Coordinates of all heavy atoms in Angstrom, one line a residue:
L100 N -1.8 123.6 86.1 CA -3.0 123.6 87.0 C -2.6 122.9 88.2 O -1.7 122.0 88.3 CB -4.1 122.9 86.3 CG -4.6 123.5 84.9 CD1 -5.5 122.5 84.2 CD2 -5.3 124.7 85.1
S101 N -3.3 123.2 89.3 CA -2.9 122.6 90.6 C -3.5 121.2 90.7 O -3.3 120.5 91.6 CB -3.4 123.5 91.7 OG -4.9 123.6 91.7
Y102 N -4.5 120.8 89.8 CA -5.1 119.5 89.9 C -5.6 119.2 88.4 O -6.1 119.9 87.7 CB -6.4 119.7 90.7 CG -7.2 118.4 90.8 CD1 -6.8 117.5 91.8 CD2 -8.2 118.0 90.0 CE1 -7.4 116.2 92.0 CE2 -8.8 116.8 90.1 CZ -8.4 115.9 91.1 OH -9.1 114.7 91.2
T145 N -8.9 122.9 97.9 CA -9.0 124.4 98.0 C -9.9 125.0 96.9 O -10.3 124.3 96.0 CB -7.6 125.0 97.9 OG1 -7.1 124.8 96.5 CG2 -6.6 124.5 98.9
I146 N -10.2 126.2 96.9 CA -11.0 126.8 95.8 C -10.1 126.8 94.5 O -10.7 126.6 93.5 CB -11.2 128.3 96.2 CG1 -12.3 128.4 97.3 CG2 -11.8 129.1 95.0 CD1 -13.7 127.8 97.0
E147 N -8.8 126.9 94.7 CA -8.0 126.8 93.4 C -8.1 125.4 92.8 O -8.2 125.3 91.6 CB -6.5 127.2 93.8 CG -5.6 127.1 92.6 CD -4.1 127.3 93.0 OE1 -3.7 127.2 94.1 OE2 -3.4 127.5 91.9
T148 N -8.0 124.4 93.7 CA -8.0 123.0 93.1 C -9.5 122.7 92.5 O -9.6 122.1 91.4 CB -7.7 121.9 94.1 OG1 -8.5 122.0 95.2 CG2 -6.2 122.0 94.6
L149 N -10.5 123.2 93.1 CA -11.8 123.1 92.6 C -12.0 123.8 91.2 O -12.4 123.2 90.3 CB -12.9 123.7 93.6 CG -14.3 123.6 93.1 CD1 -14.7 122.1 92.8 CD2 -15.2 124.2 94.1
N150 N -11.5 125.1 91.2 CA -11.5 125.8 90.0 C -10.7 125.1 88.8 O -11.2 125.1 87.7 CB -11.0 127.3 90.1 CG -12.0 128.1 90.8 OD1 -13.3 127.8 90.7 ND2 -11.6 129.1 91.6
D151 N -9.5 124.5 89.2 CA -8.8 123.8 88.2 C -9.4 122.6 87.8 O -9.3 122.2 86.6 CB -7.3 123.6 88.8 CG -6.4 124.8 88.8 OD1 -6.8 125.9 88.2 OD2 -5.3 124.7 89.3
Y152 N -10.1 121.9 88.7 CA -10.8 120.7 88.3 C -11.9 121.0 87.3 O -12.1 120.3 86.3 CB -11.6 120.2 89.5 CG -12.4 118.9 89.4 CD1 -11.7 117.6 89.3 CD2 -13.7 119.0 89.2 CE1 -12.5 116.5 89.0 CE2 -14.5 117.9 89.0 CZ -13.9 116.6 88.9 OH -14.7 115.5 88.6
L153 N -12.6 122.2 87.5 CA -13.6 122.6 86.5 C -13.0 123.0 85.1 O -13.6 122.6 84.1 CB -14.4 123.6 87.1 CG -15.3 123.4 88.3 CD1 -15.9 124.6 89.0 CD2 -16.4 122.3 88.0
K154 N -11.8 123.6 85.2 CA -11.1 123.9 83.9 C -10.7 122.6 83.1 O -10.8 122.5 82.0 CB -9.9 124.7 84.2 CG -10.1 126.2 84.6 CD -8.8 126.9 85.0 CE -9.0 128.1 85.8 NZ -7.7 128.7 86.2
V155 N -10.3 121.7 83.9 CA -9.8 120.4 83.3 C -11.1 119.7 82.7 O -11.0 119.2 81.5 CB -9.2 119.4 84.4 CG1 -9.0 118.0 83.8 CG2 -7.8 120.0 84.8
H156 N -12.2 119.7 83.4 CA -13.4 119.2 83.0 C -13.8 119.8 81.6 O -14.1 119.2 80.6 CB -14.5 119.4 83.9 CG -15.9 118.9 83.4 ND1 -16.7 119.8 82.6 CD2 -16.6 117.7 83.5 CE1 -17.8 119.1 82.3 NE2 -17.7 117.9 82.8
D157 N -13.7 121.2 81.5 CA -14.0 121.9 80.3 C -13.1 121.6 79.1 O -13.5 121.4 78.0 CB -14.0 123.4 80.5 CG -15.2 123.9 81.4 OD1 -16.2 123.1 81.5 OD2 -15.1 125.0 81.9

Side-chain angles (χ1 to χ4, degrees):
L100 303 167
S101 63
Y102 182 86
T145 65
I146 292 296
E147 181 184 16
T148 57
L149 178 59
N150 285 332
D151 284 353
Y152 179 83
L153 295 172
K154 286 177 195 173
V155 169
H156 175 273
D157 288 344

